[in-house]
Amino acid sequence: MNHVVKGLLTGVTLGVLSMPVLARDITIDLVGEPSSLDPQVQWNPDSYYVYRNVFDNLVTRDNEGTIIPQIATSWEQTSDTELTLSLRDDVSFHDGEKLDAEDVVFSVKRITDPEFASPQLGQFNQIINAEVIDDVTVKLTTDGPYPALLSQLVKLSIVPKHVVEAVGKEAFNTAPVGSGPYRFEEWKRGVSVTLSRNEDYWGQPGPFDNAIYRAVPDAATRVANLQAGTADLVVSLNSDATLQLQGVDGVQVLSAPTERVAYLGVNLDKPPFNDPELRKAASLAIDIEGITQGLLGAGEIPMAQLASPAHFGYADDVDALVYDPEAAKEIVAAKAELAATPATFATAPVFDQRVVQALQQMLNDVGFNVSISVTDMPTYLNIVRSEPADNAELSFGRWSCACQDADGITYPLLHSDSAWSRVNVPELDVLLDTARVSLDEMVRQEAYSKVHKLNRENYYVLPLYQAAVLYGASSKLSFAPTANESMFLNRMTWSD
């Protein structure tokens, strides 16, 4: 059977306004510094905000969420397992070398190599081969049909084969070379990363001469920097911080619902949460409405599944979570000795610590013994990807695949093959595999509905809410937040 799906460059609109007359620098305050600038080595917000402007991807999404061309100008599904992509022929890397099909194939094979051990492997491991057809044509082969392939390719950055092979993984991370609208200039460890505009970029040029990304862990400091005009854009604000910005001249608050789902990760192999009744008690102890409405208040929506309305695969027939602390106390009291087992709650500064602290208090109020452990983001990521014996009993997470397909969140967190998952349930694996390969949307939707219900019934991972994203920005900056939280510099404008 021959399936044909094509994406055409004609008429593509990124929602970009015209270039401002006067270029300037932009200073962006992140929570922490990037853990890596190699786009295939890491996947966390502080890294993504930076490297996504240095590299181009095969395809991207416009500001409305539609998949559109980038390096690939068009694509054709020539069989259930083969996708052929036509590439631009006018793209050069920042060192002047031309980007061609060899670089695309190299990038695909690098990120799908199990020995390379990319944390993104689970997003791309359905790709079993990449072939050069000619300089501007590539064929990808998947292990069976894979309907989420294009959604995943939105995240696959193209790295230069000649540079990576010449300098090696570590050196490439410290001085990355891409083909995007901004080129890497400098990384002052623990302080800032500077990018400069790529004057030879093939697409929409960036409006800023330079972009300086600073590591500012304290939210109050980020807000103060914005108010003082020493920062132009600040990330990861909460509702309390945005209240400080109301009525302040020269600043604005920008927000959007995201595809990110906040969740409480549970170590199923260590006490006390290896006991399913105590996992149920933990869920009953959590007041999601109180957290989203009373604490966050930025448009977050309680979720009882590892998907949001922004994802394909969201199911509207999953029972809502129940808040019943008295029932939780009864369960805990019946297993008091086990429930009192000390439990470490892993988190990182990028997450809203008010939420983490509220969760800790709610759990301890019903009889658990939970203590918070805050580490930097790279350490946190290593903890939550470690073997069960080395993993924390609990972890706070907000998962986004930037693909807007349930495959990108349920597979990493629930499939036994994923390094991110603490779950090993054959029935879940079968359902996730079915949803991953079926070309029938009804079959996929039914499988995801069953996945969500199984997780809801067994509390393997405790979903919390669909996150909203809040930014503080200069009123002179035009920037449209998106569900996938991309921060494309060349889709921004500045008006003095």
Side-chain angles (χ1 to χ4, degrees):
M1 184 176 181
N2 190 44
H3 298 276
V4 177
V5 180
K6 293 186 178 181
L8 301 176
L9 190 59
T10 307
V12 169
T13 301
L14 295 178
V16 181
L17 303 176
S18 60
M19 277 278 287
V21 175
L22 298 175
R24 69 184 301 278
D25 293 348
I26 184 171
T27 299
I28 301 170
D29 282 357
L30 307 177
V31 177
E33 72 172 336
S35 55
S36 172
L37 292 179
D38 183 332
Q40 299 181 350
V41 167
Q42 198 48 267
W43 179 254
N44 68 72
D46 290 325
S47 297
Y48 183 72
Y49 286 142
V50 180
Y51 72 62
R52 190 61 186 85
N53 291 286
V54 176
F55 296 90
D56 287 317
N57 290 7
L58 273 172
V59 293
T60 189
R61 288 187 186 271
D62 63 17
N63 286 353
E64 287 69 50
T66 302
I67 296 175
I68 58 173
Q70 195 162 53
I71 294 302
T73 59
S74 63
W75 45 89
E76 183 175 348
Q77 192 81 44
T78 53
S79 76
D80 286 357
T81 61
E82 294 179 330
L83 180 72
T84 300
L85 300 107
S86 299
L87 311 178
R88 299 189 66 92
D89 63 358
D90 59 347
V91 180
S92 294
F93 290 108
H94 298 150
D95 64 353
E97 292 293 319
K98 195 166 186 178
L99 185 157
D100 62 19
E102 290 282 356
D103 298 296
V104 173
V105 167
F106 175 80
S107 300
V108 173
K109 290 188 172 181
R110 183 177 188 243
I111 204 168
T112 56
D113 180 1
E115 292 188 4
F116 184 70
S118 171
Q120 301 174 51
L121 177 62
Q123 312 285 315
F124 299 107
N125 60 2
Q126 285 296 104
I127 303 173
I128 58 174
N129 196 25
E131 303 171 64
V132 173
I133 304 303
D134 55 44
D135 285 349
V136 292
T137 312
V138 166
K139 181 170 73 173
L140 304 182
T141 303
T142 56
D143 185 13
Y146 186 38
L149 179 58
L150 276 176
S151 295
Q152 299 290 19
L153 291 179
V154 165
K155 302 169 297 185
L156 203 155
S157 297
I158 308 305
V159 299
K161 177 181 178 182
H162 66 284
V163 176
V164 176
E165 289 185 335
V167 304
K169 180 178 176 180
E170 295 304 320
F172 186 71
N173 174 47
T174 59
V177 176
S179 62
Y182 281 80
R183 63 178 70 225
F184 172 79
E185 284 293 333
E186 183 182 29
W187 188 351
K188 296 179 180 178
R189 294 287 181 164
V191 179
S192 65
V193 175
T194 300
L195 308 181
S196 64
R197 182 171 50 217
N198 176 12
E199 302 293 350
D200 300 317
Y201 188 54
W202 60 270
Q204 175 75 27
F208 309 107
D209 291 329
N210 300 286
I212 301 97
Y213 297 85
R214 304 188 302 194
V216 185
D218 181 62
T221 304
R222 295 197 297 276
V223 169
N225 289 345
L226 180 64
Q227 292 174 315
T230 58
D232 303 304
L233 177 63
V234 301
V235 309
S236 299
L237 298 185
N238 57 42
S239 55
D240 286 349
T242 58
L243 285 174
Q244 300 175 47
L245 298 177
Q246 289 184 0
V248 177
D249 289 340
V251 302
Q252 59 180 322
V253 175
L254 304 171
S255 66
T258 73
E259 64 160 5
R260 191 177 296 277
V261 176
Y263 63 92
L264 187 63
V266 181
N267 191 329
L268 304 178
D269 293 277
K270 293 171 70 174
F273 301 109
N274 57 346
D275 186 297
E277 282 298 300
L278 290 179
R279 295 199 299 273
K280 178 180 180 179
S283 179
L284 290 169
I286 298 171
D287 181 4
I288 301 296
E289 290 284 352
I291 289 174
T292 56
Q293 302 301 318
L295 186 62
L296 294 172
E300 295 82 2
I301 302 171
M303 285 291 131
Q305 58 188 288
L306 291 173
S308 77
H311 294 87
F312 173 85
Y314 172 79
D316 56 12
D317 58 349
V318 177
D319 291 339
L321 294 171
V322 176
Y323 173 52
D324 191 341
E326 295 307 314
K329 289 177 182 178
E330 290 181 11
I331 296 171
V332 169
K335 300 191 174 190
E337 184 176 351
L338 181 60
T341 305
T344 299
F345 189 0
T347 183
V350 71
F351 303 126
D352 191 331
Q353 296 307 299
R354 300 176 307 162
V355 174
V356 175
Q357 291 161 12
L359 291 169
Q360 178 202 27
Q361 181 176 336
M362 291 171 183
L363 293 171
N364 287 345
D365 282 349
V366 301
F368 289 106
N369 182 14
V370 176
S371 59
I372 295 172
S373 174
V374 183
T375 63
D376 59 68
M377 194 65 175
T379 303
Y380 164 85
L381 292 171
N382 287 335
I383 290 170
V384 297
R385 294 179 69 233
S386 65
E387 292 301 314
D390 301 318
N391 211 306
E393 285 76 16
L394 296 170
S395 58
F396 181 78
R398 295 184 310 142
W399 192 276
S400 169
C401 65
C403 64
Q404 298 180 222
D405 190 291
D407 176 75
I409 181 169
T410 56
Y411 193 97
L413 293 180
L414 295 174
H415 198 286
S416 61
D417 282 350
S418 169
W420 300 97
S421 172
R422 300 280 70 84
V423 184
N424 187 0
V425 177
E427 184 179 2
L428 275 176
D429 286 353
V430 170
L431 289 168
L432 291 167
D433 289 337
T434 298
R436 174 167 266 207
V437 303
S438 176
L439 295 175
D440 186 327
E441 288 193 352
M442 292 183 64
V443 170
R444 298 190 73 216
Q445 184 63 54
E446 182 180 357
Y448 283 128
S449 180
K450 291 179 179 178
V451 165
H452 299 318
K453 290 173 182 176
L454 274 172
N455 184 60
R456 172 70 179 82
E457 293 164 4
N458 294 279
Y459 307 97
Y460 298 126
V461 178
L462 307 186
L464 298 173
Y465 54 86
Q466 178 188 15
V469 62
L470 288 170
Y471 305 91
S474 166
S475 58
K476 297 178 180 180
L477 181 70
S478 293
F479 163 52
T482 61
N484 59 21
E485 299 175 70
S486 296
M487 191 185 288
F488 295 102
L489 295 171
N490 66 334
R491 299 188 194 179
M492 301 178 186
T493 61
W494 183 275
S495 17
D496 285 315

